[in-house]
Amino acid sequence: WLQAHPRPAVYLRQVDVPGVDSKFIEAHRGVLAELLDLALPPEVIELDATGVAQFTRRFGFLDKPVRIRFRLLDPSLPSLPGCPSSSLSLPDITLDAGSFAALTLPARRVFITENETNFLAFPPAADAIVVFGAGYGWEPLARAEWLHRCRLHYWGDIDTHGFAILDQLRGYFPGAASFLMDRATLLAHRLHWGEEPQPTRHDLSRLTPEETAVYDDLRFDRHQRRLRLEQERVRFGWVNERLRGLPEP
């Protein structure tokens, strides 16, 4: 079937072969990959896509789309047709990455947070949206050209991995700023300090000097061993105060 339909650009569910269904293919991807490598010409195989997890990309099938979830933080921003928007009820929207990239949303500021509760409770802000990071990586967001014209603020945990994620984000958005990941926030919430299970220790080249100083305090255990302040432990009043103190984008 694949010899007759090379790089078919369909989902596994759409393979129409007697006795074969998508669950069969998924359960035997390792063996099928070896057989297909022998049966198909090299030019129809994505050779840099290796391993069972990249079976679909290797042989030209469609993957499940990455979904990006965001909330409008300003009721004046355009929403979905028929979707009410007020300061008390701001839309929570999920789009596939392609549709998100195609938006013409006139937001000037974008906050990104990894915690769902912080995402849901994030205070209203003028000309702004908040994106739920959810661990899908930064490449899908980077496809949205309109996002590169916005002022980005990343709010992660104050721990070594939080700064590593910020460093990765700046590989796609060099101008991204950190939010509530500073020494003052860390020291003001001493009662809520916890422990990071497996800290990272390597150098991070894209941090600002202030961020590097906090990161070094964490990775070198200068306050306490494996120190971590999770973002959901930061007082909501502190969040509001810092949000009001941000300069105009």
Side-chain angles (χ1 to χ4, degrees), residues 31 168 171 192:
V31 173
Q168 292 168 2
H192 300 290

Side-chain angles (χ1 to χ4, degrees), residues 2 6-8 32-50 54-61:
L2 272 170
R7 305 204 64 75
L32 287 172
E34 293 185 37
L35 297 174
L36 292 172
D37 281 349
L38 298 173
L40 299 175
E43 60 268 21
V44 303
I45 300 173
E46 189 74 33
L47 297 175
D48 66 344
T50 59
Q54 298 197 62
F55 178 90
T56 51
R57 188 163 76 88
R58 185 172 182 85
F59 299 109
F61 290 100

Side-chain angles (χ1 to χ4, degrees), residues 145-188:
E145 291 187 12
W146 62 272
L147 209 57
H148 293 269
R149 298 190 291 271
C150 298
R151 178 66 165 154
L152 263 63
H153 300 267
Y154 176 73
W155 181 14
D157 294 331
I158 302 183
D159 63 10
T160 61
H161 287 283
F163 282 106
I165 294 170
L166 173 63
D167 183 81
Q168 292 168 2
L169 173 62
R170 288 204 177 116
Y172 294 92
F173 297 93
S178 59
F179 180 61
L180 299 174
M181 297 178 69
D182 53 89
R183 180 174 280 126
T185 299
L186 178 65
L187 298 180

Side-chain angles (χ1 to χ4, degrees), residues 152-234:
L152 263 63
H153 300 267
Y154 176 73
W155 181 14
D157 294 331
I158 302 183
D159 63 10
T160 61
H161 287 283
F163 282 106
I165 294 170
L166 173 63
D167 183 81
Q168 292 168 2
L169 173 62
R170 288 204 177 116
Y172 294 92
F173 297 93
S178 59
F179 180 61
L180 299 174
M181 297 178 69
D182 53 89
R183 180 174 280 126
T185 299
L186 178 65
L187 298 180
H189 294 81
R190 187 181 295 269
L191 292 177
H192 300 290
W193 285 2
E195 183 174 296
E196 185 177 17
Q198 294 181 317
T200 184
R201 310 287 185 185
H202 61 278
D203 293 341
L204 300 175
S205 61
R206 301 185 186 99
L207 300 184
T208 66
E210 294 79 10
E211 293 161 352
T212 297
V214 178
Y215 174 65
D216 285 347
D217 286 347
L218 298 172
R219 65 170 172 161
F220 298 133
D221 297 328
R222 289 173 179 162
H223 295 290
Q224 72 177 40
R225 187 171 179 269
R226 296 184 173 184
L227 174 58
R228 177 189 203 185
L229 175 63
E230 294 174 284
Q231 57 192 270
E232 61 266 38
R233 298 185 184 277
V234 175

Side-chain angles (χ1 to χ4, degrees), residues 20-38:
V20 175
D21 57 39
S22 55
K23 287 193 173 183
F24 175 88
I25 298 173
E26 290 167 355
H28 298 90
R29 286 173 296 175
V31 173
L32 287 172
E34 293 185 37
L35 297 174
L36 292 172
D37 281 349
L38 298 173

